[in-house]
Amino acid sequence: MSTPSFLTVTRGEAPLLVSLPHTGTDIPEEFAAGLVSPWRARKDCDWWIERLYDFAAGLGATVVHTAISRTVIDVNRDPSGASLYPGQATTELVPTTTFDGEPLYEPGHEPDSESISRRKALFFEPYHKALADEIARLRALHPRIVVYDGHSIRSRIPRLFEGELPNFNIGTNGGTTCDPALTARVAEICATSGRSHVVNGRFKGGFITRHNGHPADGVHAIQMELACRGYMREPVGPVDETSWPAAYDEAYAAPMRVALTRILEACIDFARGAR
């Protein structure tokens, strides 16, 4: 079966799969009705992450990327609708608010169960099938592989977390989705970059990491949530249409790309058994 047009799957032979689930900005007309504004609907995109990681394929990694906005459906949420962070503010499988708590839809226009089911069939299930197919392909080539789920978020969002988020937020669902040795190596690279980092802090890994990380079966999954200020000139405080998103600046992003290159290389070395 052919790959849907909204999905990009770049196949490599290295034991590394890079998932980019939140960089999309496409909102099909069918699902745009009732939205407060196009800008608000795209506000929480993981801006420029596909450009930040555009070196990954050159390392031999397989890259899976969706062009569909997370506002249409969030492919990194549990499809059952269960919260990944019980008791904490978050957004849903089909979000109805921004991270800041602003409504995405005009009153009475929120997606109903039929619309949610359609979005799952059109966008959620194909994304996860692509991941599953690539994991199976790479496992047939290698005794162990790494699934790396790449994300970013604004550094200060009071509704979601207190204060300023560390630059690097490594998530392994409390150490269950990958070998501790891989987590330690990634954390070491973050530390030597001179930027702040945390392991299993506010962001412990979303559905992609938790669903696919099975170390006993040779599949090690790790999520990396980057604070936007590490690779773009992020505004301080609340953002609006005039200030967000900030433009991508290759020179400004270069130091972060150096660290991320080392991290992905470390993932490949780990999977190949290098020490």
Side-chain angles (χ1 to χ4, degrees):
M1 187 172 67
S2 61
T3 302
S5 60
F6 66 87
L7 271 181
T8 301
V9 180
T10 305
R11 293 183 175 89
E13 302 299 312
L16 174 63
L17 171 58
V18 175
S19 164
L20 302 177
H22 288 160
T23 66
T25 58
D26 290 356
I27 302 174
E29 185 176 353
E30 174 185 353
F31 305 109
L35 286 168
V36 171
S37 76
W39 176 80
R40 186 177 290 185
R42 297 179 173 94
K43 180 180 179 182
D44 295 330
C45 172
D46 291 4
W47 288 104
W48 316 130
I49 283 292
E50 76 281 9
R51 294 183 64 175
L52 190 67
Y53 284 101
D54 65 8
F55 63 86
L59 299 178
T62 295
V63 182
V64 178
H65 166 242
T66 175
I68 296 296
S69 168
R70 67 187 299 161
T71 288
V72 176
I73 191 164
D74 190 335
V75 296
N76 199 34
R77 295 292 184 269
D78 191 318
S80 73
S83 175
L84 297 173
Y85 295 97
Q88 294 179 286
T90 187
T91 51
E92 310 100 316
L93 175 68
V94 176
T96 56
T97 66
T98 67
F99 290 157
D100 296 297
E102 305 152 307
L104 285 168
Y105 294 88
E106 300 289 353
H109 290 272
E110 297 82 1
D112 58 18
S113 59
E114 182 179 349
S115 178
I116 292 172
S117 295
R118 180 162 169 74
R119 296 167 194 230
K120 283 184 184 179
L122 288 175
F123 308 118
F124 186 97
E125 291 168 10
Y127 191 84
H128 285 276
K129 183 180 187 305
L131 290 181
D133 288 350
E134 294 310 311
I135 288 170
R137 181 181 67 84
L138 292 174
R139 276 291 285 112
L141 298 174
H142 306 281
R144 62 180 177 179
I145 68 169
V146 174
V147 176
Y148 179 99
D149 201 39
H151 297 264
S152 72
I153 193 169
R154 285 163 29 229
S155 299
R156 290 183 178 271
I157 303 179
R159 178 172 173 262
L160 298 187
F161 49 83
E162 294 183 1
E164 187 173 71
L165 200 67
N167 284 114
F168 296 96
N169 298 266
I170 303 163
T172 64
N173 196 30
T176 63
T177 65
C178 77
D179 190 305
L182 175 59
T183 307
R185 178 61 182 136
V186 171
E188 178 186 21
I189 294 169
C190 294
T192 57
S193 75
R195 300 169 187 252
S196 56
H197 78 281
V198 67
V199 177
N200 291 311
R202 173 60 178 89
F203 298 102
K204 296 177 171 61
F207 181 74
I208 290 167
T209 304
R210 302 183 197 196
H211 180 68
N212 293 295
H214 301 288
D217 297 328
V219 182
H220 300 258
I222 188 166
Q223 176 177 297
M224 179 63 78
E225 187 88 50
L226 301 174
C228 289
R229 70 182 185 281
Y231 69 94
M232 60 192 292
R233 298 182 190 279
E234 180 185 0
V236 176
V239 298
D240 58 28
E241 294 185 56
T242 67
S243 64
W244 191 254
Y248 186 76
D249 182 331
E250 290 187 4
Y252 188 90
M256 179 64 78
R257 280 168 60 92
V258 170
L260 294 173
T261 301
R262 292 184 63 205
I263 287 169
L264 294 196
E265 289 173 340
C267 289
I268 293 171
D269 287 347
F270 164 82
R272 287 177 172 158
R275 290 293 184 265

